[in-house]
Amino acid sequence: MAVKVYRDAWGVPHLRADGANELAYAQGRNAALDRAWQMEVERHRSQGTSASFLGTEAVSWDRFARRVRLDDTARRCMDALNREDPGTAAWVRSYVDGVNDGLAEGARRAPGFAAAGLAPGLWRPWTPMGVWLSAHILFAGFPAKLWRDAVARRLGPEWVGVFATDGPGTSGSNGWLVPGGRTATGAAIVAGDPHRFIEAPGVYQQIRLACPEFDVVGLAVPGVPGIAHFGHTGRVAWAITNAMADYQDLYRERLRRTGPDGERVEALGPDGWRPAERHVETIEVAGGEPVTVEVIETGRGPVIADGVEAAEWADPAFPAQEPPAQELPAQGSSAPEVFGAIALRHPPRVRADLGFGVLPALLRARSVADVDRALDGWAEPVNVVLAADTAGGTLHRVAGAVPVRHPDNRTRVVPAWEPRHAWRGRYEPMPRERVEGIAVMANQRGIAEPLGVEFAPPHRAERIRELLAGRAGWSAQDMPAVHRDTLLASAAPLLDLLARTDPGELAPAARRLRERLLEWNRRMDADSTGAASFAAVRTATVRRLADHPLLRPLADPPTAPEVFRPWLALVPRVGYALEHLLATDLLPLADRAGAVRGAVEEVAAREAAAQGPPARWGDTHRLAPWQALPAGPGESWPALAGDHDCVLATSSVPGVTDLSARASAARYVWDLARREDSAWVVPLGASGVPGDPHQRDQLPLWARCELVPVVTDWNRLAEEPAVPHDRSAPHSPHAPHDRGEK
């Protein structure tokens, strides 16, 4: 057969085929043509082979990927899918066939391959699962348990809650459902935006997938078939946010080497010493020496830190964590030396399931009941879901796999040898709520609270609800006004302390700055001088608090794998917890007020000495996307409005940088009255090919928080030459040379 590819005015691919598997092939081939470099980078990251062409900076990730066994977990998940759901497995393989058939041509269009000396490699049937797992393994923020342990040990358990807010490694989202009773058409609207680290090319691809069984528009992840998170089938639309659930556990292990060469490892578990899996892998490093990685897996899971890295947790805050004396070698004994480690246990590794069976079911959904049934099989990551259909049905639920286990497992590193911390083989029921009026999901405490520990501050959720409650008669065209809201409610604690500062204690310049900030409208607009001054005072306050004697014990982060350091650095942690720190009685009021007063004096003096017009927030708050290869000379990115706790969530890291590496990875509005009135936008463009007209054509619109229309009329699309596809001819098992593939 021949699949057909169409493009709209923004280069968005619209794919048609005679069947679901043929369409999966078309999606894979199209992704390889439009995003070859991005997809190969992600494949290598999932395998732990990216340092082979990206160099030493990629070693820390590759080491983690090898230790946590990402590729092996993906392979296990695919093996299980082959056994339990062969239809979905065949659909995934069709996608992979398309990727492999398009990679060589896609690579010729992508200069990154030549720049890195990389040839396109071979995608295996499980590679999409590896890409998905690689993108979400840190989504639930398990390194926060290392931070909580460090805070409890160094400052005391009472301090843990002071820092309880989402950290720099957490991804969030906004989402809202306006029911038909509050819209102009009488049909529901679902809208929102996922907040993730912004990458170039973007992490979401606008796409349309059509065959006789279904016709779906949505946001796909390049490298993964179907439309998992945000889609509109014409009759039903769905969207998700991160539920902030805790479903990954860290275990403090006791290990010992046995055998003549110490190549065998045993781990102390609830039933005593048991053999652990162990082997050694080598990471090839472009421009550097190869790196050897010891991969160990206990009965709990893969070891992600050992030796020196785990030493910080060898002297725990909880004495009950010490193993029984009879389980350890006696002093002076010749028994094998025991060493510490930390192992990760998470559902995909335990269950060999990522929930991929849900993906084709979502494409075929015709109602919220269909979406609901499909999501019963979801696994990774755990999401809050909103959905609505053309018959007036609505859905608000959590989907995913959260194990039943001891409450302590959720908050800290727990001892592997204590039976009470073992998983119980059961999973928590997923909460759901009836939609009565406007429903909002923004990572706040709410529907998912029974499943989590730390949630995002409530500001985004409360502001969205406030905006939508202000009137009825909403239309799809009205939704960007919600997306672009820049009110920063989290500014209140700092400004309240500033208001309590005696102006007579301030120098004249600081007194004038105080007056300006107290009159500021608290909106983080790109052209706002008030927002710029507030951000500068906030940064100076964060740095002063981080240097406070009570917090100084956290200044040296615990020794841990490099990939976990964003969760363990003090200054970012103070920045994101600033609201709590400025309000807690654990810090003397005089010191909190003094930090704000000193920050205002510092910023006022700096502003008085500056030449030229007053600084605006957008001067320093600019987009800073991640790119696998260094940016070219002179490459610039736009100024941004918004901030971490605004609905327009363009996150900076207070105290570290005003640049924004995390923001809306897409924005969408799904109209259930007329799908053609829906709209969307991505940070860059539909194409990942440098020089393509659609590589970055949406960037100016995205920066202004404008959307482009979703086109559904095939007559308004431009058809590309047909692509022949013979399903009877399997893809060749051979592939070009691929640096780093084993």
Side-chain angles (χ1 to χ4, degrees):
M1 67 155 292
V3 301
K4 293 186 177 181
V5 180
Y6 301 79
R7 304 274 181 175
D8 64 17
W10 297 94
V12 173
H14 296 241
L15 311 180
R16 296 179 84 170
D18 290 340
N21 284 8
E22 289 79 7
L23 187 59
Y25 170 90
Q27 185 184 7
R29 190 176 189 279
N30 170 262
L33 293 175
D34 284 4
R35 305 290 186 101
W37 169 251
Q38 176 186 19
M39 291 176 64
E40 280 293 81
V41 168
E42 294 306 317
R43 178 178 70 86
H44 279 281
R45 282 173 56 82
S46 74
Q47 296 175 170
T49 54
S50 59
S52 66
F53 61 99
L54 296 180
T56 56
E57 290 188 359
V59 168
S60 62
W61 173 265
D62 284 356
R63 182 185 288 111
F64 169 69
R66 303 292 188 101
R67 280 179 154 184
V68 81
R69 309 198 71 181
L70 289 182
D71 190 58
D72 185 68
T73 301
R75 188 194 305 254
R76 288 187 182 189
C77 291
M78 189 63 189
D79 288 345
L81 195 68
N82 279 320
R83 293 190 305 269
E84 299 165 13
D85 188 353
T88 297
W91 178 75
V92 174
R93 288 195 299 272
S94 293
Y95 180 90
V96 170
D97 286 345
V99 172
N100 283 324
D101 284 351
L103 267 180
E105 182 179 345
R108 287 192 290 271
R109 303 171 63 200
F113 285 90
L118 180 69
L122 178 68
W123 279 52
R124 308 290 184 179
W126 60 87
T127 301
M129 294 183 169
V131 169
W132 186 263
L133 188 59
S134 174
H136 295 102
I137 186 67
L138 295 174
F139 225 62
F142 68 80
K145 295 177 183 180
L146 303 178
W147 170 256
R148 292 188 207 113
D149 266 12
V151 171
R153 253 190 330 274
R154 298 182 185 187
L155 302 185
E158 69 276 12
W159 280 91
V160 172
V162 176
F163 289 96
T165 185
D166 66 327
T170 302
S171 297
S173 303
N174 294 324
W176 57 91
L177 188 161
V178 183
R182 299 189 65 84
T183 68
T185 63
I189 296 171
V190 179
D193 56 314
H195 308 153
R196 303 181 72 137
F197 284 102
I198 302 300
E199 302 179 10
V203 298
Y204 284 115
Q205 178 194 30
Q206 298 150 305
I207 200 166
R208 183 183 187 183
L209 303 175
C211 67
E213 291 183 80
F214 51 79
D215 181 342
V216 187
V217 296
L219 298 165
V221 174
V224 179
I227 296 170
H229 285 160
F230 311 96
H232 194 331
T233 73
R235 296 183 183 178
V236 62
W238 67 90
I240 63 95
T241 62
N242 185 350
M244 311 297 282
D246 184 90
Y247 53 92
Q248 302 166 319
D249 285 354
L250 294 181
Y251 286 89
R252 190 164 67 88
E253 299 275 2
R254 285 288 185 259
L255 306 179
R256 68 184 184 188
R257 298 188 185 278
T258 62
D261 300 320
E263 292 185 355
R264 292 194 295 274
V265 174
E266 293 181 341
L268 180 62
D271 300 320
W273 293 99
R274 294 291 183 269
E277 295 182 34
R278 184 241 180 219
H279 67 274
V280 175
E281 299 183 9
T282 300
I283 299 173
E284 301 294 335
V285 183
E289 294 297 318
V291 175
T292 299
V293 179
E294 184 179 35
V295 179
I296 299 173
E297 185 165 7
T298 74
R300 272 61 59 196
V303 167
I304 58 172
D306 61 9
V308 173
E309 294 174 337
E312 177 91 21
W313 290 270
D315 181 20
F318 302 91
Q321 285 192 324
E322 287 303 324
Q326 64 268 24
E327 297 287 4
L328 299 178
Q331 189 171 5
S333 168
S334 60
E337 179 182 357
V338 175
F339 62 99
I342 296 174
L344 172 68
R345 188 168 181 81
H346 62 118
R349 185 74 181 163
V350 174
R351 304 183 348 153
D353 180 27
L354 285 171
F356 264 44
V358 172
L359 300 180
L362 285 175
L363 296 176
R364 295 182 173 95
R366 297 292 184 269
S367 66
V368 294
D370 294 339
V371 171
D372 195 13
R373 281 191 297 271
L375 290 173
D376 285 341
W378 191 245
E380 170 80 13
V382 180
N383 295 322
V384 176
V385 182
L386 287 174
D389 62 30
T390 54
T394 55
L395 177 69
H396 187 194
R397 63 164 293 179
V398 183
V402 178
V404 174
R405 74 274 205 220
H406 193 281
D408 286 353
N409 290 39
R410 293 187 179 183
T411 59
R412 59 182 175 87
V413 185
V414 295
W417 52 86
E418 290 191 0
R420 61 181 177 147
H421 295 298
W423 285 15
R424 300 170 187 173
R426 306 192 311 276
Y427 288 81
E428 301 282 0
M430 292 293 101
R432 59 179 63 237
E433 288 182 355
R434 183 181 180 88
V435 176
E436 296 179 347
I438 294 164
V440 178
M441 52 182 185
N443 322 113
Q444 79 279 21
R445 293 185 181 274
I447 187 173
E449 184 169 7
L451 306 177
V453 177
E454 295 186 17
F455 293 83
H459 309 302
R460 287 186 284 117
E462 291 175 355
R463 181 59 176 166
I464 292 169
R465 193 176 298 278
E466 178 186 2
L467 290 169
L468 293 173
R471 65 178 178 87
W474 288 97
S475 70
Q477 292 73 29
D478 296 329
M479 291 298 105
V482 180
H483 283 113
R484 70 170 64 99
D485 189 79
T486 61
L487 184 69
L488 186 68
S490 62
L494 192 156
L495 295 177
D496 289 348
L497 282 174
L498 186 58
R500 295 163 65 179
T501 301
D502 183 355
E505 297 179 358
L506 299 174
R511 192 158 52 246
R512 290 192 294 272
L513 175 57
R514 174 185 178 275
E515 292 172 359
R516 283 202 302 118
L517 288 177
L518 294 180
E519 293 173 356
W520 170 54
N521 62 9
R522 304 190 184 190
R523 292 186 174 275
M524 300 299 284
D525 296 326
D527 60 355
S528 170
T529 58
S533 294
F534 170 80
V537 170
R538 180 177 62 182
T539 287
T541 302
V542 167
R543 292 174 179 171
R544 287 168 183 268
L545 288 179
D547 196 43
H548 192 282
L550 288 175
L551 301 185
R552 205 169 293 153
L554 294 169
D556 293 326
T559 303
E562 185 178 347
V563 73
F564 303 150
R565 290 179 187 172
W567 282 268
L568 303 176
L570 175 59
V571 173
R573 278 289 181 177
V574 171
Y576 284 114
L578 185 61
E579 277 189 283
H580 295 172
L581 286 164
L582 290 177
T584 180
D585 290 336
L586 293 174
L587 283 173
L589 175 60
D591 292 352
R592 288 178 272 139
V596 173
R597 183 172 58 251
V600 169
E601 293 280 11
E602 175 188 332
V603 172
R606 188 165 63 243
E607 289 184 346
Q611 302 294 320
R616 300 171 300 174
W617 176 225
D619 294 339
T620 56
H621 189 56
R622 308 186 75 85
L623 182 63
W626 180 83
Q627 300 178 80
L629 294 177
E635 187 171 41
S636 63
W637 296 95
L640 299 179
D643 198 32
H644 185 71
D645 290 324
C646 300
V647 177
L648 182 54
T650 55
S651 295
S652 59
V653 185
V656 177
T657 180
D658 289 343
L659 295 175
S660 179
R662 191 178 63 167
S664 300
R667 298 188 184 101
Y668 59 90
V669 177
W670 301 144
D671 192 334
L672 272 300
R674 285 169 36 95
R675 187 169 65 163
E676 55 267 38
D677 288 339
S678 300
W680 52 9
V681 73
V682 292
L684 301 179
S687 175
V689 178
D692 187 282
H694 302 298
Q695 182 196 10
R696 295 186 182 175
D697 57 338
Q698 295 183 51
L699 178 59
L701 296 162
W702 176 86
R704 296 194 300 268
C705 218
E706 298 175 9
L707 281 68
V708 302
V710 170
V711 178
T712 59
D713 183 351
W714 295 100
N715 294 319
R716 295 174 56 195
L717 305 174
E719 183 178 355
E720 293 186 347
V723 178
H725 174 46
D726 183 2
R727 292 291 301 152
S728 65
H731 180 80
S732 168
H734 304 292
H737 172 64
D738 177 12
R739 292 178 62 184
E741 181 163 26
K742 302 298 181 186

